[in-house]
Amino acid sequence: MANRVAEAGKADVLFFNGQIERQHDQTVIDLCHKRTRKRANVLLILVTSGGNADAAYRIARTLQRHYEKLIVFLPGYCKSAGTLIAVGANELVMSDEGELGPLDVQMNKKDELGQVQSGLTATSAMENLHQQAFEAFQHFLVQTTLRSQGTITTKTSTDIAVKLTSGLFAPIYSQMDPIHIGEAGRALEVSRQYGAILREHAGNITQESLDRLVSAYPSHGFVIDRDEVAK
């Protein structure tokens, strides 16, 4: 069957099923170097729960470099780092069961052994906290000014609002680790930069869609089916 597909599509067929780890990118590189009679195109049948973004990038770039056209077929589950490889495809084919996932990088949880969380968790927490703090300040300022019925100046109302907001949110901010938040931001930027390089070569996704893959979806396991991909 693989030979029939290869002949019909003038494409070498590569099947990958499993977690994407660093040694796998070297395996793909070695396969490409050893295959002296390559066809013009390559069909990658990809099933994965994700893995290492660096390895995924190297796999996609290697296939882009060695073949005129990279076709990625998703018969089922293809998440995280697998989605990064799909970004590098010139053509993406998905079955009804096929699904991609967001590109938010998974990071080790602070003070937790063997547990991971989305890189968006820390940055989203900070953004939401900023929004809540601003809304609280605005509420305290307006309410203090209105209820004083002009007996308190705007400057005094502002000072009161600042003290109330600081007293409410300072204990929460003190628990946030700036190093961890910085690492989360850099981890997300890794996916964004890798995706931008692969997108430039493949041309099958807009920058806006790439940004959505990195930061728009609410959870790491969010299902991106072929109808969502087609938007």
Side-chain angles (χ1 to χ4, degrees), residues 192-222:
R192 195 185 308 274
Q193 290 294 327
Y194 280 162
I197 296 171
L198 295 175
R199 182 193 76 85
E200 184 177 359
H201 184 280
N204 75 337
I205 185 175
T206 65
Q207 183 62 48
E208 180 183 1
S209 295
L210 176 60
D211 291 338
R212 290 183 64 222
L213 282 174
V214 174
S215 59
Y217 293 102
S219 71
H220 186 69
F222 193 92

Side-chain angles (χ1 to χ4, degrees), residues 97-186:
E97 293 80 14
E99 63 173 90
L100 294 168
L103 284 177
D104 54 321
V105 173
Q106 295 287 280
M107 302 174 58
N108 291 327
K109 278 189 176 181
K110 183 182 176 183
D111 301 327
E112 295 291 344
L113 181 63
Q115 296 187 33
V116 296
Q117 65 181 10
S118 169
L120 282 177
T121 301
T123 55
S124 295
M126 180 62 78
E127 291 173 2
N128 290 334
L129 192 56
H130 287 343
Q131 181 64 31
Q132 293 296 322
F134 176 76
E135 291 177 1
F137 169 78
Q138 189 177 50
H139 170 77
F140 291 141
L141 176 61
V142 171
Q143 290 301 313
T144 301
T145 302
L146 291 177
R147 294 190 180 190
S148 71
Q149 296 182 344
T151 60
I152 298 178
T153 65
T154 301
K155 182 179 183 305
T156 302
S157 296
T158 301
D159 291 340
I160 293 172
V162 168
K163 291 178 180 178
L164 290 171
T165 304
S166 298
L168 182 62
F169 285 92
I172 303 175
Y173 274 106
S174 67
Q175 298 181 47
M176 305 194 76
D177 183 354
I179 300 299
H180 183 67
I181 294 172
E183 289 174 346
R186 288 177 64 86

Side-chain angles (χ1 to χ4, degrees), residues 50-122:
N52 184 276
D54 301 327
Y57 171 76
R58 291 239 297 169
I59 289 171
R61 285 293 280 171
T62 297
L63 295 177
Q64 287 181 340
R65 189 179 299 116
H66 283 267
Y67 292 92
E68 296 177 12
K69 185 177 183 180
L70 168 58
I71 307 163
V72 174
F73 172 49
L74 308 180
Y77 206 66
C78 181
K79 294 293 193 176
S80 191
T83 301
L84 186 60
I85 294 177
V87 169
N90 301 103
E91 183 178 337
L92 185 63
V93 183
M94 297 179 68
S95 70
D96 286 335
E97 293 80 14
E99 63 173 90
L100 294 168
L103 284 177
D104 54 321
V105 173
Q106 295 287 280
M107 302 174 58
N108 291 327
K109 278 189 176 181
K110 183 182 176 183
D111 301 327
E112 295 291 344
L113 181 63
Q115 296 187 33
V116 296
Q117 65 181 10
S118 169
L120 282 177
T121 301

